[in-house]
């Protein structure tokens, strides 16, 4: 599998490279960032890149795309999640935004705000846009996808549910887990076969396949690019299956010390530990 990661240097600047098992081959000297490499169409030429090796154990991973221009999230997009909410299917995709500075990488802490008693998880699959995309048809949609990664749309439910707009509960610092790596679209193949599982302290809370999306990826891309142009490196987060903590009985909200893992076939496992913040 061709995989790429972004990671922190000792000075907190961000580098990126090709991941091969336990080694990252730093490609920053060629192109400054993964997003810029995608925009330049450079990933294919780096499939076998082996310069500037760095041990994976010696780095801390950053969000796959640390500073996307746009992060577009799709809500209530699995039938199982719709069923647990107990509402009819929406007439159009539910769309909200997340800010880039809310993201963290694989292994970084998920930050539970002191303002909340209802911190929750949402395991998802994210796609990264490969080239400028505006008014893209379903037939052309997959041509605009550079690759895929696991995502955890951690949610501050009491703030999310306080009003009709979800934004206040969806973009706190340290709540957008993105990683561990980007797997290129050609390596993933049929994305509808990807299977997602979310675990909290080893307990399986969510399961789903992308074949179960209410709005599939071509439909999402067509809808989103109708109202906003997307650029290479922009991110769409495609929705979460049923099993979120909010609708468990009793509610299964997550607290300090809980370990949340989002495992997606072919994409790897994103792991974050919950920490209280003041």
């Amino acid at each position: 599998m061709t995989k790429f990661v972004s990671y922190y240097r000792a000075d907190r600047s961000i580098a990126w490279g090709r991941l091969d098992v336990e080694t990252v081959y730093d490609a920053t000297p060629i192109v400054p960032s993964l997003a810029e490499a995608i925009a330049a169409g450079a990933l294919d030429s780096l499939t076998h890149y082996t310069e500037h090796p760095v041990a994976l154990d010696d780095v801390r991973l950053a969000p796959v795309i640390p500073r996307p221009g746009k992060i577009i999230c799709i809500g209530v997009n699995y039938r199982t999640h719709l069923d647990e909410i107990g509402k009819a299917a929406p007439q159009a995709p539910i769309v909200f935004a997340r800010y880039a500075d809310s993201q963290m990488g694989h292994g970084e802490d998920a930050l539970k705000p002191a303002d909340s008693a209802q911190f929750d998880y949402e395991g998802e699959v994210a796609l990264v846009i490969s080239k400028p995309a505006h008014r893209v048809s379903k037939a052309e949609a997959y041509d605009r996808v550079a690759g895929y990664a696991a995502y955890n749309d951690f949610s501050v439910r009491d703030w999310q549910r306080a009003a009709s707009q979800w934004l206040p509960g969806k973009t706190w610092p340290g709540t957008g887990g993105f990683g561990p790596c980007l797997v290129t679209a050609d390596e993933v193949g049929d994305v509808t076969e990807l299977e997602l599982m979310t675990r909290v302290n080893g307990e399986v809370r969510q399961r789903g396949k992308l074949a179960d999306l209410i709005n599939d990826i071509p439909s999402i891309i067509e809808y989103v690019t109708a109202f906003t142009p997307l650029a290479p490196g922009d991110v769409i987060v495609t929705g979460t299956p049923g099993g979120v903590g909010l609708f468990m009985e009793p509610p299964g909200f997550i607290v300090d010390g809980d370990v949340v893992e989002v495992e997606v076939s072919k994409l790897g496992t994103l792991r974050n530990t919950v920490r209280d913040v003041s």
Side-chain angles (χ1 to χ4, degrees), residues 107-111 154 255-260 271-275:
E108 293 195 273
D109 291 339
L111 304 181
F154 287 96
V255 297
D256 185 78
D258 283 344
V259 177
V260 186
R271 183 180 301 106
N272 302 100
T273 300
V274 178
R275 296 298 180 202

Side-chain angles (χ1 to χ4, degrees), residues 30-211:
I30 299 174
V31 186
S33 71
L34 178 51
E36 289 171 278
I38 291 169
L43 295 190
D44 287 348
S45 66
L46 296 169
T47 300
H48 303 292
Y49 179 72
T50 57
E51 300 296 322
H52 308 291
V54 180
L56 181 61
D57 286 344
D58 292 341
V59 303
R60 191 153 64 89
L61 294 181
V64 170
I65 306 292
R67 292 180 290 271
K70 295 177 183 177
I71 305 170
I72 304 293
C73 302
I74 308 299
V76 195
N77 200 28
Y78 281 81
R79 179 64 58 182
T80 52
H81 190 35
L82 185 68
D83 289 345
E84 69 182 356
I85 292 173
K87 294 184 178 180
Q91 293 185 346
I94 295 173
V95 179
F96 59 96
R98 174 177 279 281
Y99 299 141
D101 62 2
S102 73
Q103 295 191 126
M104 69 286 194
H106 168 75
E108 293 195 273
D109 291 339
L111 304 181
K112 177 187 174 296
D115 309 68
S116 175
Q118 298 183 2
F119 197 46
D120 209 348
Y121 52 85
E122 291 193 11
E124 312 201 19
V125 170
L127 64 88
V128 178
I129 295 296
S130 62
K131 60 184 72 171
H134 189 209
R135 298 191 178 277
V136 176
S137 70
K138 292 180 186 178
E140 300 170 320
Y142 281 124
D143 184 52
R144 298 304 199 280
V145 180
Y148 303 89
Y151 209 98
N152 197 330
D153 180 38
F154 287 96
S155 300
V156 184
R157 296 295 189 198
D158 27 13
W159 283 69
Q160 177 190 351
R161 291 161 61 84
S164 62
Q165 299 300 311
W166 293 3
L167 184 67
K170 290 288 192 174
T171 198
W172 291 70
T175 61
F178 190 12
C181 59
L182 179 79
V183 180
T184 56
D186 60 327
E187 294 279 6
V188 169
D190 184 358
V191 69
T192 67
E193 292 301 311
L194 293 183
E195 297 186 62
L196 179 155
M197 181 187 303
T198 305
R199 295 183 292 268
V200 177
N201 302 325
E203 175 194 2
V204 176
R205 296 280 187 93
Q206 294 182 289
R207 290 180 184 269
K209 291 183 71 171
L210 261 72

Side-chain angles (χ1 to χ4, degrees), residues 211-268:
D212 301 329
L213 290 175
I214 296 171
N215 300 285
D216 63 11
I217 285 173
S219 298
I220 293 169
I221 291 174
E222 181 180 66
Y223 184 79
V224 170
T225 63
F227 69 81
T228 186
L230 299 179
D234 285 349
V235 176
I236 298 177
V237 188
T238 58
T240 198
V244 299
L246 175 64
F247 296 106
M248 295 178 65
E249 188 57 52
F253 296 121
I254 47 180
V255 297
D256 185 78
D258 283 344
V259 177
V260 186
E261 297 172 301
V262 179
E263 180 179 349
V264 183
S265 56
K266 297 187 178 182
L267 305 184

